[in-house]
């Protein structure tokens, strides 16, 4: 069964450093998302991406964040200058031909900012 | 986004049915009712969704009240693997002029504990 994959599973970085989190969505999906979950808190929407552009973003997704689909398979989330409060689990999700379909989530990347 | 209200926690015994309620009194006519769950240390997982009619799939059933102000997720025979946080989410469809382009807005959900 196809699945969303994410790498790395755990990333440790120093405050102020740039990180890139990688996701490989399910191959025929068209809608892509990033969410995050701070430890013990609820899952929060960050950004949605369709047709090679951002379709919606939350207040969390400020200028420090960017997303890219550099080729036909990868979907990346970049944080330019990490802060302590960026420490969280980051989940990538993808959805097939209509945004109303279910979203398929990856296993997540745990980001720890020291 | 319209709000949902779920109990903080529920408990069940293995192999018994579980009914997880959700109230959504401010639901609009075009909102879909989605259920996701999150097993410990995993990403959210789609369970089921519906609009007006009751729905069944291999994982669960979704019973939607006639006025759509509430719904119930039914796990017919709970297993230990069903222990998770269950989220009831109202989703604005992208083709109805909504500004939510398919995003999911998670609440705190219901923590389901299944006892052996």
């Amino acid at each position: 069964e196809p699945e969303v994959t994410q790498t790395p599973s755990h990333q440790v970085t120093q405050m102020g450093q740039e990180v890139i989190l990688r996701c490989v969505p399910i191959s025929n999906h068209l809608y892509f998302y990033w969410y995050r979950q701070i430890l013990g808190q609820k899952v929060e929407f960050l950004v949605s991406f369709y047709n090679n552009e951002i379709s919606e973003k939350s207040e969390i997704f400020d200028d420090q964040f960017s997303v890219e689909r550099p080729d036909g398979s990868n979907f990346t989330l970049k944080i330019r200058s990490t802060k302590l409060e960026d420490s969280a689990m980051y989940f990538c999700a993808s959805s097939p031909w209509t945004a109303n379909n279910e979203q398929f989530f990856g296993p997540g990347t745990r980001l720890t900012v020291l | 986004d319209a709000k949902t209200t779920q109990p903080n926690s529920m408990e069940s015994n293995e192999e018994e049915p579980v009914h997880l309620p959700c109230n959504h009194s401010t639901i609009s006519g075009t909102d879909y009712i989605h259920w996701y769950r999150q097993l410990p240390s995993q990403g959210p997982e789609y369970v089921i969704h519906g609009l007006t009619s009751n729905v069944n799939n291999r994982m669960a059933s979704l019973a939607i009240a006639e006025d759509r102000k509430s719904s119930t997720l039914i796990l017919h025979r709970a297993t230990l693997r069903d222990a998770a946080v269950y989220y009831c989410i109202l989703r604005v469809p992208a083709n109805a002029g909504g500004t939510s382009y398919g995003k999911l807005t998670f609440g705190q959900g219901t923590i389901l504990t299944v006892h052996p």
Side-chain angles (χ1 to χ4, degrees):
Chain A
E1 187 172 328
E3 57 183 19
V4 177
T5 60
Q6 292 186 241
T7 54
S9 56
H10 191 190
Q11 173 96 41
V12 181
T13 189
Q14 295 291 325
M15 190 169 56
Q17 295 296 304
E18 174 183 286
V19 295
I20 297 176
L21 310 182
R22 290 183 167 80
C23 168
V24 179
I26 295 172
S27 64
N28 61 346
H29 285 188
L30 301 177
Y31 296 81
F32 312 109
Y33 310 85
W34 283 101
Y35 295 81
R36 80 171 186 189
Q37 186 174 32
I38 295 170
L39 186 64
Q41 299 188 22
K42 59 185 180 181
V43 178
E44 300 174 289
F45 167 77
L46 291 178
V47 65
S48 60
F49 192 85
Y50 169 69
N51 201 23
N52 273 328
E53 60 183 24
I54 291 173
S55 48
E56 188 179 7
K57 58 184 181 180
S58 72
E59 291 179 354
I60 302 167
F61 194 88
D62 61 21
D63 292 345
Q64 294 300 310
F65 291 86
S66 62
V67 289
E68 198 176 37
R69 189 155 158 81
D71 52 42
S73 59
N74 290 288
F75 180 50
T76 62
L77 174 70
K78 182 194 292 187
I79 309 174
R80 288 193 185 79
S81 177
T82 50
K83 307 183 188 75
L84 294 176
E85 53 265 37
D86 293 327
S87 295
M89 282 290 287
Y90 287 81
F91 297 107
C92 171
S94 69
S95 187
W97 61 275
T98 169
N100 297 330
N101 283 89
E102 60 264 34
Q103 292 182 16
F104 295 81
F105 284 78
T109 292
R110 177 169 298 284
L111 177 65
T112 301
V113 182
L114 302 176
Chain B
D1 293 335
K3 187 175 167 56
T4 63
T5 304
Q6 300 178 252
N8 290 332
S9 61
M10 291 186 66
E11 297 187 18
S12 173
N13 294 319
E14 202 174 8
E15 298 193 5
E16 289 184 356
V18 181
H19 290 233
L20 296 164
C22 180
N23 286 317
H24 28 79
S25 58
T26 59
I27 190 170
S28 75
T30 55
D31 287 347
Y32 282 79
I33 302 161
H34 281 244
W35 284 81
Y36 282 74
R37 70 180 185 181
Q38 189 174 21
L39 279 64
S41 301
Q42 294 192 26
E45 175 187 32
Y46 168 80
V47 177
I48 201 166
H49 77 280
L51 184 61
T52 56
S53 303
N54 294 345
V55 185
N56 300 298
N57 67 18
R58 64 177 177 82
M59 289 181 71
S61 296
L62 176 60
I64 301 172
E66 198 168 327
D67 63 5
R68 299 207 332 124
K69 293 184 186 297
S70 65
S71 61
T72 302
L73 178 71
I74 303 166
L75 307 179
H76 295 286
R77 289 182 66 200
T79 68
L80 296 178
R81 195 195 172 275
D82 291 322
V85 181
Y86 285 79
Y87 301 99
C88 170
I89 300 169
L90 300 183
R91 196 164 180 205
V92 178
N95 61 354
T99 57
S100 298
Y101 211 81
K103 75 176 182 185
L104 296 169
T105 302
F106 289 83
Q108 297 296 339
T110 296
I111 301 170
L112 176 64
T113 301
V114 180
H115 299 290

